[in-house]
Amino acid sequence: MKNSPMKFKGIFLYASFMIFGMALLSCGGDDGVTVTPPDPPTVTAIDPSSGLVGTEVSITGTNFGTTTSDVSVSFNGTDAVVTASTETSITTTVPDGATTGAVSVTIGTTVVQGGPTFTVTVPPVPTVVSLDPVSGDEGATVTITGTNFSTTASENEVSFNGTAATVTAATVTTITTTVPVGATTGPVTVTVLGQVVTGPEFTVIAVPKFTSLITSNVTTKLGKVHFADATTAYVAGDDGTVLKSTDSGTTWTDLTSSTGITDDFEAVFFVDANTGWAVGDDGIVINTTDGGANWTDQTANTGTTETLRSIFFLDANNGFVGGSDGVMITTTDGGASWSTQATGLEEVTTVGMERDGERVYDIYFWNSTNGIAVAGGGDIITTTDGGTTWALQEDVNGADESWKAIQFTDANTGWVVGSAGFIYKTEDGGASWTAQTSPTTEADFNDLILLSDNTLIAVGDHNEARDITSFVAVTVDGGTTWTRQDHMLTLVADDIELNGVASFDGTTIIAVGDDGTILK
């Protein structure tokens, strides 16, 4: 049966209607609104286009979105951290390990095509030539000399054998830093903008420090302190003051009432925990053999009324005491009897006043025959026959200043300190002396103690325009360098003078001074 033209027309109209309806559904959805897909993101520029690792980079473009977590950036395949994002800009930094190449930007899952190229620049490799000093304690200032350092201090990283240090200043050729807490001996490493160089070794030496103000329960001036053994120490001072410690200086017992003396003591010396002497004004000498519980007054046997300022005993019987007017007295029977020795130090007066020059401030003997003593006026006397005769070295420092204390490591090597910050060293038993660089010209050093062959500590007072303050100087290299230590000034009053210092084993150190001050 043939199809009629009418039938074909109906079929055509039905098909046309279906096609039109489907088109409407595909374009408008349920509500008939047209949905336009978003424009793809683009990158138009990068600023800067080159730089070091860590350089902040701004990427400019379109359709980035504002959700930072949806944005990722990589430099030639190395992922970077995105710190900010807007529709038109992305902020990031060149990551560690980045190399020159294309910068890839991904928004969500869409990779932006045509990323720009970023050139990763490499800073010049630094060098380290020297350290100054090459040894020291925590907190010591060290200057590193070399090349290709950054002039921005924070861009230079320094470590002492792996312990990070703080850089305080920098130029192209120098870095100033401090030895960090916890540092150990080893190489110093410098890192400049990612470039690492290992420098010379720095030796960390523990420098002694006073860290505690000890309660003494007295307010008088304390003159000198002496360790009898590792735990037992004695202090002598004004108004007959004698203190004793049996716990390495942590606590002190007042023995003043047991001495029977009200005049001032200048020095104290013990040969063991029980046997010792204290000396002072008007030729006073007292002795104990029971650790200070009881004292014997030997003053009547000394043959002098001069102020006695220094004392040294070789053993329980043989000792020397020096004082004003060049006095030197000696005993061979523990002080039961004393004899006077001629020192060659003569009394000098100026306008009726006693000059400092004849006062014997410190005595040191290596053995029963060889000894040395120091006095005011820069005078030093030596003996090779147990003090029967003394040889005078006048005005050793050429400045007429007072020598206050002396210490020796052996028969040849020794140091002497005194007023105006003078420090001298001998390497021939005192025959000649060489000045050492002092940390002050204002301080008067009153005492000196040897802690090891190369470590010494000196104490005194800093008299600058009469604004007196305590003063401590330390060397750990045999006196090549002396360092002023001010950390302990927070422990004491401004007007406190430190008069004595002592140690038994080189680790526990006690210093004493005005107003009953004891530092440990």
Side-chain angles (χ1 to χ4, degrees):
M1 178 177 164
K2 294 183 179 179
N3 293 324
S4 65
M6 197 63 160
K7 185 176 182 178
F8 280 116
K9 184 175 181 180
I11 293 171
F12 175 77
L13 290 173
Y14 176 78
S16 298
F17 175 77
M18 291 299 292
I19 292 171
F20 179 72
M22 292 177 68
L24 287 176
L25 289 173
S26 66
C27 294
D30 292 339
D31 57 4
V33 178
T34 300
V35 176
T36 303
D39 293 332
T42 63
V43 173
T44 58
I46 186 169
D47 183 36
S49 60
S50 65
L52 301 168
V53 169
T55 300
E56 186 175 86
V57 175
S58 178
I59 301 172
T60 303
T62 61
N63 303 318
F64 293 149
T66 59
T67 304
T68 302
S69 61
D70 289 341
V71 180
S72 59
V73 176
S74 66
F75 287 73
N76 201 26
T78 302
D79 291 338
V81 175
V82 175
T83 56
S85 176
T86 68
E87 287 289 347
T88 58
S89 69
I90 298 169
T91 302
T92 185
T93 55
V94 181
D96 289 337
T99 55
T100 297
V103 176
S104 174
V105 176
T106 301
I107 309 298
T109 59
T110 302
V111 178
V112 182
Q113 302 299 315
T117 295
F118 185 89
T119 301
V120 179
T121 57
V122 179
V125 177
T127 65
V128 174
V129 177
S130 64
L131 307 176
D132 183 27
V134 296
S135 64
D137 194 17
E138 297 174 356
T141 299
V142 177
T143 299
I144 303 171
T145 301
T147 62
N148 299 325
F149 301 147
S150 172
T151 56
T152 302
S154 61
E155 293 180 350
N156 304 282
E157 300 174 26
V158 175
S159 66
F160 287 74
N161 202 28
T163 302
T166 300
V167 175
T168 55
T171 69
V172 174
T173 58
T174 62
I175 294 174
T176 304
T177 185
T178 54
V179 181
V181 174
T184 55
T185 297
V188 173
T189 300
V190 176
T191 303
V192 183
L193 299 172
Q195 298 294 316
V196 182
V197 60
T198 300
E201 183 174 282
F202 184 88
T203 302
V204 178
I205 302 175
V207 175
K209 296 181 177 69
F210 295 111
T211 58
S212 302
L213 177 64
I214 305 299
T215 301
S216 67
N217 293 321
V218 298
T219 58
T220 54
K221 171 186 174 181
L222 302 179
K224 290 292 185 287
V225 56
H226 189 264
F227 271 91
D229 56 33
T231 58
T232 309
Y234 292 85
V235 172
D238 284 2
D239 302 332
T241 298
V242 175
L243 306 178
K244 178 182 179 179
S245 174
T246 57
D247 56 8
S248 302
T250 301
T251 59
W252 295 84
T253 301
D254 190 353
L255 303 179
T256 303
S257 60
S258 67
T259 67
I261 303 297
T262 57
D263 288 332
D264 297 342
F265 286 123
E266 298 289 338
V268 62
F269 195 101
F270 273 72
V271 295
D272 57 42
N274 293 315
T275 306
W277 294 260
V279 301
D281 288 357
D282 302 324
I284 293 172
V285 178
I286 61 172
N287 164 246
T288 182
T289 57
D290 58 9
N294 298 280
W295 296 82
T296 300
D297 190 347
Q298 300 177 339
T299 305
N301 302 328
T302 64
T304 182
T305 57
E306 296 290 345
T307 297
L308 301 177
R309 302 178 181 276
S310 53
I311 183 172
F312 188 94
F313 268 76
L314 292 161
D315 52 44
N317 291 314
N318 298 285
F320 299 82
V321 173
S324 297
D325 198 16
V327 163
M328 182 75 72
I329 58 175
T330 183
T331 182
T332 58
D333 55 13
S337 62
W338 294 84
S339 60
T340 301
Q341 296 181 336
T343 61
L345 299 172
E346 298 178 356
E347 181 178 4
V348 178
T349 58
T350 302
V351 195
M353 298 296 291
E354 180 185 13
R355 196 190 74 165
D356 199 28
E358 73 285 351
R359 300 175 183 176
V360 179
Y361 281 110
D362 203 7
I363 307 167
Y364 186 90
F365 271 77
W366 298 276
N367 49 49
S368 60
T369 57
N370 296 286
I372 190 168
V374 296
D379 293 336
I380 294 178
I381 56 176
T382 59
T383 182
T384 57
D385 55 15
T388 301
T389 59
W390 291 86
L392 174 64
Q393 300 176 5
E394 292 186 290
D395 298 334
V396 171
N397 61 30
D400 199 33
E401 297 291 345
S402 294
W403 294 127
K404 294 294 186 69
I406 192 166
Q407 287 284 296
F408 276 81
T409 59
D410 53 46
N412 293 315
T413 307
W415 294 261
V416 63
V417 298
S419 56
F422 281 112
I423 305 173
Y424 276 67
K425 181 178 182 179
T426 181
E427 295 181 301
D428 54 16
S432 62
W433 296 84
T434 301
Q436 295 195 313
T437 302
S438 173
T440 179
T441 58
E442 294 287 341
D444 291 337
F445 292 121
N446 295 321
D447 206 1
L448 175 71
I449 190 67
L450 180 73
L451 304 177
S452 69
D453 285 350
N454 291 307
T455 303
L456 299 97
I457 184 168
V459 302
D461 59 276
H462 189 244
N463 182 1
E464 186 173 358
R466 299 307 301 169
D467 185 16
I468 296 174
T469 59
S470 303
F471 196 95
V472 175
V474 174
T475 180
V476 294
D477 55 15
T480 301
T481 56
W482 287 84
T483 303
R484 174 177 177 171
Q485 292 191 339
D486 287 337
H487 64 277
M488 39 66 65
L489 294 182
T490 58
L491 302 175
V492 298
D494 289 343
D495 59 349
I496 296 298
E497 298 182 29
L498 296 178
N499 304 309
V501 63
S503 176
F504 181 80
D505 54 9
T507 55
T508 301
I509 311 161
I510 298 295
V512 300
D514 295 349
D515 296 345
T517 297
I518 299 178
L519 297 175
K520 181 179 180 181

